[in-house]
Amino acid sequence: MFLKRFLSGDNQGDQLRKYIRSLFGFTPQNIELYKIAFIHRSLSTKNKAGAVMNNERLEYLGDAVLSAVVADFLFKKYPFLAEGPLTEMRSKIVCRDRLNMLSKKIGLNKYISMEENAHAKSALGDAFEALVGAIYLDQGYNKTKRIIIRKILLTYLDLDSVIAEDTNFKSKVLSWAQKQHKQVRFVHSDCPDGARRKLFTAKLYIDNELYGEGVDYTIKKAEQMASEKTWEKIKD
């Protein structure tokens, strides 16, 4: 459940400072960055210079920083693993569902400002990445790296369990279909969500019967969602 709007003005800044300090152990230098990190695109505004104010740019930056930190962490933690397994481990840690879960654990959902009827499937994970972007700009890379590893990865994730998960549902469905001599196909469509980005729909058919449907901002993730729903139906 998301608030349509969080507190405004000085109250918002005070609440965010307390939240960041209690969670990560530092006081923000530029609180405006953190305010922007929690503005969903559905509540975009423009500043005096005409720039769009929402968390998409910080999300883009945070995604890159988070991926680099996790890649570096795994590279050092598992010195004998090849590129393929390392890439798969990183994907499991930074996938949207995982970031949504982490966002709930650290209480980000209490601070996100968004329209009540906006598409919220990825809002938590987007805000998590935007928060990482804000910390990076405010505190620098080395401190951001320490925070991600010590305050998030090692505190809120059971890494061994995460790494042991088999989460490639599309691969599972395709393997099952091959063994059962069944035909699998995806049907894609797209539609605007009221902002600049498009939502993609993926429908998964087995022998022309609809088994699962997924909606996301990338075709790949939409296919994975459709595959997960399909796997739940066929796995037994």
Side-chain angles (χ1 to χ4, degrees):
M1 182 68 180
F2 296 102
L3 301 175
K4 185 174 183 179
R5 283 192 180 275
F6 185 57
L7 299 172
S8 60
D10 293 337
N11 285 334
Q12 182 189 20
D14 291 342
Q15 291 290 328
L16 285 176
R17 284 188 186 92
K18 292 178 182 178
Y19 171 68
I20 298 297
R21 188 164 54 243
S22 65
L23 185 64
F24 298 128
F26 72 89
T27 300
Q29 297 181 39
N30 184 356
I31 195 62
E32 297 303 317
L33 286 171
Y34 299 88
K35 291 180 181 179
I36 295 172
F38 294 110
I39 301 175
H40 185 262
R41 66 182 68 86
S42 63
L43 284 181
S44 297
T45 59
K46 289 187 177 181
N47 62 17
K48 294 180 181 179
V52 175
M53 302 294 288
N54 62 38
N55 65 5
E56 285 189 324
R57 280 171 52 84
L58 285 174
E59 174 197 342
Y60 157 80
L61 181 62
D63 174 56
V65 173
L66 181 63
S67 183
V69 169
V70 172
D72 180 68
F73 173 76
L74 293 174
F75 184 85
K76 293 173 180 175
K77 183 176 176 62
Y78 302 98
F80 302 109
L81 278 184
E83 178 267 346
L86 286 173
T87 299
E88 185 175 354
M89 287 181 186
R90 182 185 61 187
S91 297
K92 289 178 180 179
I93 292 172
V94 302
C95 72
R96 188 59 49 188
D97 287 344
R98 188 82 55 201
L99 297 186
N100 287 341
M101 178 270 292
L102 283 171
S103 293
K104 289 180 181 178
K105 283 191 173 184
I106 65 177
L108 289 193
N109 54 306
K110 300 175 183 177
Y111 297 89
I112 298 174
S113 296
M114 64 182 295
E115 288 288 353
E116 292 176 350
N117 297 324
H119 179 73
K121 179 68 178 178
S122 62
L124 283 169
D126 293 346
F128 183 93
E129 290 177 333
L131 176 60
V132 171
I135 296 172
Y136 166 73
L137 291 176
D138 188 50
Q139 300 290 316
Y141 178 79
N142 289 332
K143 189 165 185 176
T144 304
K145 177 181 175 181
R146 291 195 299 271
I147 288 170
I148 291 173
I149 293 174
R150 298 175 185 176
K151 301 291 186 177
I152 297 176
L153 296 185
L154 298 180
T155 301
Y156 292 98
L157 285 183
D158 181 346
L159 288 174
D160 291 335
S161 296
V162 170
I163 290 167
E165 290 177 359
D166 184 0
T167 57
N168 193 338
F169 294 102
K170 182 178 178 180
S171 177
K172 290 181 179 181
V173 171
L174 293 176
S175 178
W176 174 88
Q178 184 176 11
K179 293 177 182 178
Q180 300 296 324
H181 305 288
K182 295 182 179 292
Q183 183 182 27
V184 175
R185 65 186 177 93
F186 288 94
V187 175
H188 305 111
S189 60
D190 61 79
C191 62
D193 74 339
R196 290 177 295 167
R197 298 171 68 185
K198 288 192 298 186
L199 284 169
F200 294 94
T201 298
K203 296 182 178 180
L204 192 158
Y205 291 84
I206 298 178
D207 288 345
N208 295 318
E209 181 180 349
L210 178 63
Y211 271 72
E213 181 176 344
V215 180
D216 207 289
Y217 288 103
T218 68
I219 292 176
K220 181 179 179 180
K221 290 177 181 177
E223 286 187 348
Q224 277 293 340
M225 291 173 63
S227 299
E228 182 176 3
K229 293 176 182 178
T230 299
W231 183 248
E232 289 299 315
K233 294 179 179 179
I234 66 176
K235 65 181 181 180
D236 296 328

